[in-house]
Amino acid sequence: MCGIVGYIGKREKREFLLDGLRELEYRGYDSAGIAVLHQNEINYFKAGGKLDNLIEKTKDFRSIGFGLGIAHTRWATHGKPTEINAHPHWGEFSFVIHNGIIENYMEIKKELQSEGVVFLSQTDSEVIVHLFEKFISQNLTPQIAFEKTVQSLKGAFAVLLISKVASETIFFAKNAVPLILGKSSIDEIFFGSSDAPLIGFADEVTYLEDGTYGWANKEEIQIYKGSQKLKPVFKPLNTSKIYAQKDGFRFFMEKEIYEQSAVASETLMGRIKDDKVFLEELNGYDFNDIDEIKICACGTSYHAALTSSYLFERLAKIRCSVEIASEFRYKEPLLDKKTLFLVISQSGETADTLEALKMAKRAGLKTLSICNVDNSSIVRLSDATILTRAGIEKGVASTKAFATQVLSLWLLALHVAKFNNNISDEKCTSEIKAIRGIPAVLKVDEEIHEKLHRLSKRYLHGHGFFFIGRDIFFPLALEGALKLKEISYLHAEGYPAGEMKHGPIALADSTLFTVALMPQNMLYDKTKSNVEELSARDATILAISPKEFVLADDFIKTQPYEHPMSEFFEMMVITQLLALEISIRLGNDVDMPRNLAKSVTVE
Ligand code: M6R
């Protein structure tokens, strides 16, 4: 995900901006750039790949004395991760950096092109700087020109713009993407897409509201919402770097759970248009000769795979089998060239998954990967990759990576369904409507979080947990149990609800905790009967459902969504928070649980 840093003051600009970008590296990026305005001259530098490339390019550049600068790390969405697509983008006399997506950029771009403007990049962001300069050429003041520019944009954006026409000012705008403005006692002004680059420099900060824009220079900071001038509320900035990186959350895992809504929007960005799925990565990828999909993965990624197997068969009407990569490798599998081999991995480096992929390649199968890390071994080896765009996941227990894997797989199932003409337009439209709603579903409900915090104290003992569910809620039960055992070290199992009576029900007593996933849109009555069977044997039931359930010992009421996948994502967040709260109560290191590593590069 992109990062933004901005500065006005006397400090050496290059060093401050590059250090700031370093603080944002954890978000993930594939190119970077800076622009510095000093004595009415603008110097700019861009580089593809790691920040070290930009550091090398700028090593002889210094900017001493009063001036201003903007800096950006880019995670490609519109246009490839090339140097020309890196930010800042420029016009004749102005430079811009932007996070987010300009939904109406095509319209604006066409209009500007028809007026003779030449675009250098493939990005949506470049329209901002040309639009600003167009308004300047109409003799508007820089402030009005910027205001009109912002009013023309639709979508999500955090924008910083500098221009020779206002050589002491940074113009800014914020909508649905974070942007923070800070100041220090020595008349410096700072911008950041999170607190991290500002720690140790800014004394106080204001978290800009959605729909705001304005400008800052050493004389004034003006912030507007519509035509209304706002009085910014500045708060002291915490001085701990780690606290800042966690945005005030207790653990990275908690922060990552709360980030899921935003990263789901990133996953979807540019991939749905006019009720159709567009997976640019699969242009030219032919599914005609494919009659089966085989998926290989480990851990949480395996659970995403299992979830998607229901979607591939149900939506795309294509056979789908799923295997744990470490099992697949040694079973001497029979592989058929009509099988598409799909691997799923957050890190792209998991040894077993990588080796399974190599086996499939050797057998001549078509391959595809779902991955969160561009340029990882799995990405490099696959014929094509759908990047999940979750940003760097620091917590060992995977949360936002899982959410974005499932979302990407859902898009892929619809893409295959459409390719093979196996889905009606009406069905496709209703699926896309549900997909569009997922970022909202993933917003954490603070009341539910608080309730789980309170409930968690009742679940610290006992002889184990069963998470149960049916259909797609079975892999979710597996994932809920894995989350809990990874970070709480309590025994937990995921089970198909209908399978309990074939053995595990023998364990039922009051100290067996059952987390029952009871969605209203997926086999509710069947699941309910299975839960009743457990309740009759005195198991303690935590029911998660939109429907009241009288036999529940504890109950988390969910939203009455109409689509099972919406219920899936809401329940996913609840099971993640349950694991988190239990683990925190037990005093465990949530982000670095014992015996586990984030990337498992040994078999
Ligand atoms: O990077 P990968 O997705 O390939 O990793 C696979 C598993 O190691 C991983 O999902 C693991 O199970 C997580 N710790 C789960 O939270």
Side-chain angles (χ1 to χ4, degrees):
M1 288 183 298
C2 307
I4 280 185
V5 184
Y7 175 73
I8 305 177
K10 291 189 183 148
R11 208 176 283 271
E12 203 287 297
K13 264 64 67 195
R14 170 190 179 266
E15 190 184 339
F16 176 80
L17 295 172
L18 293 176
D19 286 351
L21 291 184
R22 189 64 92 196
E23 293 295 333
L24 296 173
E25 263 195 310
Y26 72 94
R27 299 158 70 97
Y29 65 99
D30 39 51
S31 60
I34 61 171
V36 173
L37 174 48
H38 180 226
Q39 295 177 341
N40 221 28
E41 276 302 310
I42 302 185
N43 287 284
Y44 67 92
F45 304 87
K46 311 210 258 190
K50 290 288 153 209
L51 205 47
D52 288 339
N53 300 340
L54 184 64
I55 291 173
E56 178 60 25
K57 270 197 167 178
T58 54
K59 67 176 190 293
D60 298 324
F61 173 72
R62 295 287 176 281
S63 162
I64 318 284
F66 179 82
L68 41 95
I70 54 178
H72 190 266
T73 44
R74 172 173 187 258
W75 176 288
T77 53
H78 279 83
K80 294 193 182 328
T82 57
E83 187 172 314
I84 197 68
N85 286 335
H87 298 214
H89 296 288
W90 57 83
E92 309 258 320
F93 44 83
S94 318
F95 283 69
V96 75
I97 56 176
H98 160 232
N99 285 0
I101 184 165
I102 307 298
E103 284 166 6
N104 58 337
Y105 85 101
M106 260 307 176
E107 273 163 67
I108 302 175
K109 187 169 177 172
K110 279 188 188 142
E111 197 180 315
L112 289 167
Q113 280 172 325
S114 72
E115 292 163 7
V117 175
V118 177
F119 281 77
L120 296 177
S121 75
Q122 301 160 305
T123 66
D124 52 339
S125 314
E126 195 183 339
V127 298
I128 303 169
V129 70
H130 295 305
L131 204 51
F132 173 77
E133 293 196 348
K134 170 181 158 171
F135 292 131
I136 291 287
S137 71
Q138 295 169 353
N139 287 328
L140 299 175
T141 64
Q143 288 75 10
I144 302 284
F146 187 70
E147 183 181 67
K148 280 184 72 96
T149 303
V150 175
Q151 283 165 354
S152 310
L153 306 177
K154 288 196 189 125
F157 45 83
V159 171
L160 296 186
L161 182 144
I162 58 174
S163 176
K164 286 188 186 178
V165 294
S167 63
E168 300 200 338
T169 300
I170 293 185
F171 296 89
F172 56 89
K174 189 255 188 235
N175 193 40
V177 175
L179 187 61
I180 298 163
L181 191 163
K183 54 184 188 177
S184 77
S185 55
I186 52 166
D187 289 339
E188 293 170 299
I189 292 169
F190 305 89
F191 292 91
S193 43
S194 85
D195 289 349
L198 277 51
I199 299 280
F201 301 102
D203 301 319
E204 2 179 63
V205 293
T206 181
Y207 296 85
L208 294 167
E209 278 177 41
D210 282 344
T212 55
Y213 65 92
W215 45 90
N217 53 43
K218 56 183 177 186
E219 271 82 48
E220 58 172 13
I221 296 172
Q222 299 274 1
I223 305 179
Y224 290 85
K225 188 166 192 174
S227 54
Q228 200 196 343
K229 191 167 166 186
L230 303 184
K231 194 168 165 13
V233 181
F234 282 89
K235 295 182 186 161
L237 182 62
N238 193 299
T239 52
S240 148
K241 288 244 179 231
I242 281 294
Y243 177 91
Q245 282 193 351
K246 290 185 196 157
D247 286 343
F249 291 104
R250 295 165 291 177
F251 291 95
F252 280 109
M253 181 190 176
E254 185 177 30
K255 173 173 177 256
E256 286 158 5
I257 293 171
Y258 273 76
E259 264 172 15
Q260 290 181 115
S261 168
V263 295
S265 301
E266 300 259 354
T267 306
L268 297 179
M269 214 174 262
R271 288 174 169 165
I272 296 179
K273 286 175 214 151
D274 304 329
D275 283 354
K276 291 196 184 70
V277 173
F278 283 88
L279 293 171
E280 209 179 33
E281 312 70 348
L282 299 185
N283 280 350
Y285 200 99
D286 190 354
F287 291 89
N288 272 325
D289 296 332
I290 300 296
D291 63 10
E292 183 180 348
I293 298 177
K294 184 178 278 296
I295 318 182
C296 254
C298 304
T300 287
S301 299
Y302 168 74
H303 299 152
L306 271 184
T307 308
S308 72
S309 67
Y310 292 84
L311 304 178
F312 282 118
E313 299 215 341
R314 194 166 277 145
L315 296 173
K317 312 282 178 235
I318 187 160
R319 262 181 293 131
C320 181
S321 59
V322 182
E323 309 221 21
I324 290 179
S326 55
E327 286 299 308
F328 172 81
R329 286 178 65 185
Y330 299 103
K331 68 185 281 200
E332 297 179 27
L334 299 176
L335 298 174
D336 183 314
K337 293 218 168 96
K338 288 187 140 201
T339 300
L340 165 68
F341 197 79
L342 173 60
V343 290
I344 306 175
S345 173
Q346 184 285 127
S347 61
E349 302 296 347
T350 301
D352 284 316
T353 312
L354 182 60
E355 288 307 316
L357 176 62
K358 287 181 188 165
M359 281 170 67
K361 290 217 70 144
R362 280 197 295 272
L365 269 61
K366 217 171 192 170
T367 60
L368 179 60
S369 58
I370 304 278
C371 191
N372 195 36
V373 181
D374 201 2
N375 289 319
S376 57
S377 304
I378 284 177
V379 169
R380 281 184 273 123
L381 201 65
S382 316
D383 296 338
T385 300
I386 300 173
L387 289 174
T388 48
R389 305 179 184 161
I392 288 182
E393 191 179 60
K394 287 205 167 181
V396 165
S398 189
T399 52
K400 61 178 182 168
F402 176 70
T404 55
Q405 284 170 345
V406 176
L407 199 52
S408 305
L409 286 158
W410 190 5
L411 290 174
L412 178 61
L414 285 175
H415 176 88
V416 177
K418 208 67 192 160
F419 193 100
N420 291 343
N421 267 329
N422 275 331
I423 191 165
S424 68
D425 287 347
E426 296 71 43
K427 177 74 179 155
C428 195
T429 304
S430 75
E431 290 296 304
I432 289 201
K433 185 172 167 226
I435 289 180
R436 283 187 194 278
I438 298 306
V441 171
L442 287 170
K443 285 217 162 99
V444 174
D445 179 325
E446 296 283 352
E447 274 179 30
I448 289 188
H449 191 174
E450 175 52 30
K451 183 160 184 189
L452 288 163
H453 168 71
R454 277 185 285 115
L455 277 184
S456 61
K457 59 179 173 289
R458 298 170 53 166
Y459 292 99
L460 306 180
H461 310 291
H463 65 83
F465 286 77
F466 270 90
F467 285 68
I468 59 169
R470 281 173 171 257
D471 203 281
I472 50 173
F473 294 86
F474 160 52
L476 183 59
L478 290 173
E479 176 58 12
L482 177 63
K483 281 297 81 83
L484 183 62
K485 72 183 131 200
E486 273 187 291
I487 59 173
S488 72
Y489 320 139
L490 296 170
H491 180 75
E493 278 187 63
Y495 234 77
E499 189 66 10
M500 290 297 283
K501 60 173 125 2
H502 298 289
I505 203 165
L507 293 170
D509 65 18
S510 61
T511 60
L512 179 79
F513 302 137
T514 302
V515 181
L517 307 177
M518 303 171 72
Q520 66 175 5
N521 294 298
M522 188 57 78
L523 304 167
Y524 178 80
D525 291 331
K526 305 267 177 223
T527 311
K528 183 167 166 252
S529 309
N530 301 140
V531 182
E532 282 163 357
E533 288 154 13
L534 281 155
S535 170
R537 275 120 191 129
D538 216 20
T540 297
I541 311 289
L542 167 57
I544 305 176
S545 180
K547 295 186 177 202
E548 299 290 340
F549 179 56
V550 284
L551 297 177
D553 296 277
D554 289 313
F555 183 62
I556 299 288
K557 192 168 172 57
T558 52
Q559 295 297 319
Y561 290 119
E562 284 169 13
H563 197 289
M565 286 300 285
S566 309
E567 298 197 86
F568 175 98
F569 280 106
E570 186 184 10
M571 291 186 188
M572 177 201 75
V573 175
I574 292 169
T575 55
Q576 293 167 342
L577 290 170
L578 177 69
L580 174 88
E581 289 301 334
I582 291 176
S583 168
I584 292 177
R585 276 205 196 267
L586 290 168
N588 298 345
D589 183 343
V590 170
D591 288 332
M592 271 182 270
R594 68 185 185 203
N595 307 337
L596 296 177
K598 184 70 189 158
S599 184
V600 186
T601 51
V602 289
E603 74 166 302

